[in-house]
Amino acid sequence: MNDKVILGTVVMLVSLNTALPGLASQQDDARNAAEIAVINQEAVDAQVLRSHGDAYTREFLLQFHNATQKYCQAFQLGVADQEEGRTRAFSDHVEQAAYQRGIAKAKARVQEKTGVKENTLPDQLIDQKKYLPKQPLPNQAHFINQIADDAQQIGKDYDLYPSIIIAQAALESSWGTSELSLAPHHNLFGVKGKYNGRGVLKPTTEFIGSQSTQVQDIFRSYINNKQSLQDYAKTLQQPLYREVHRSVTQSYREATHALVGRYATDPDYDKKLNQIIDSYRLTKYDEPKKDGNDQTQTMNSKQLRMPQKTHLRNSHQRTIPKHKKFSPVISVIGGAASAGALTGLKKLLVS
């Protein structure tokens, strides 16, 4: 984390933070854009900012300032907790991202001093439990069949495990039965915010430390399931989710572990996903599609046979598609209140 970037930006924003009313219709979009900018440390395009008008840029400025303060505080907590051997979770995704980066920063400092590099996660941190396979219920088999093809294609395009895509969709949507996952919202993954201006307010459970609490939040609304799958994959292209990708992990269990504290605050999130993947043998969808019907046969409870044992899949020769990079995928639209301030903000944000 570049302290000069954040501190310099905060000073400038505080000096401009006077009477910044925002239109209600633009508040959510400005907040989302500002938080993404802070999390990803994106450069801000002044021309794009001006094109959205003064009301939007004023609201963005206020939200950017608030998110920056949260980020700085959580980042320092991450550094301190790593040094003292403690961990915590945040329901706010800006704070959670900053906290994880603070932990990574503290680890890097130790590595620089000791010369010992940490290339892989210690085995004890990864879920080692073996989950027995079982037959899916008819509605579960139908759900898997419904999204498997799209999950395989999206996994290929975005360097993700199709098995995890299917398992997350199943877990987050209660196998396609939750109100949020059904029409007219089609939100299979519980992604928060708005999508093309579409969103809905729903209750959700968040974990603060080990305690669960009920809160209200806005969730994205899509026109169909495929749009939900694609937006989820784009969300995982943010730098925060780098360790979820196939090219930087040795197994799907490393990837599910990387989702804990980032995608979800549930401390057992990886275990729940692993159980779904193992129970319904979803790793077969991680293999490349083959010609014919031998690879992607429809799941049918009458055709399923119980295998003797399951194995973790280890892949060592995966590569990221050339057209995919770990970079922000959502453009920043919002900014400071004057052309001079916009130029300063852009310079400060470029690291």
Side-chain angles (χ1 to χ4, degrees), residues 188-201:
L188 299 177
F189 298 93
V191 180
K192 295 178 180 179
K194 288 188 176 182
Y195 184 83
N196 292 339
R198 291 166 53 92
V200 58
L201 185 66

Side-chain angles (χ1 to χ4, degrees), residues 28 56 60 106 148 152 187 195 211 228 236 271 289 315 349:
D28 289 331
Y56 183 97
F60 177 92
Q152 282 191 292
N187 189 333
Y195 184 83
Q211 300 296 318
S228 176
L236 294 192
K271 299 178 179 64
K289 285 186 178 182
S315 299
L349 284 174

Side-chain angles (χ1 to χ4, degrees), residues 42 84 115 134 143 192 208 271 274 287 299 304 318:
E42 294 176 329
E84 297 177 13
K134 60 183 179 181
F143 182 80
K192 295 178 180 179
I208 309 300
K271 299 178 179 64
N274 295 338
E287 301 297 334
M299 294 188 70
L304 289 175
R318 295 184 294 270

Side-chain angles (χ1 to χ4, degrees), residues 101-132:
R101 288 176 184 165
I103 290 175
K105 180 67 173 180
K107 288 181 178 179
R109 289 175 181 173
V110 173
Q111 292 169 13
E112 289 175 2
K113 292 179 180 179
T114 62
V116 178
K117 293 185 178 181
E118 188 177 39
N119 294 322
T120 58
L121 289 170
D123 289 342
Q124 63 267 26
L125 296 180
I126 300 173
D127 178 26
Q128 301 292 329
K129 184 175 180 179
K130 304 294 183 181
Y131 301 96
L132 296 177

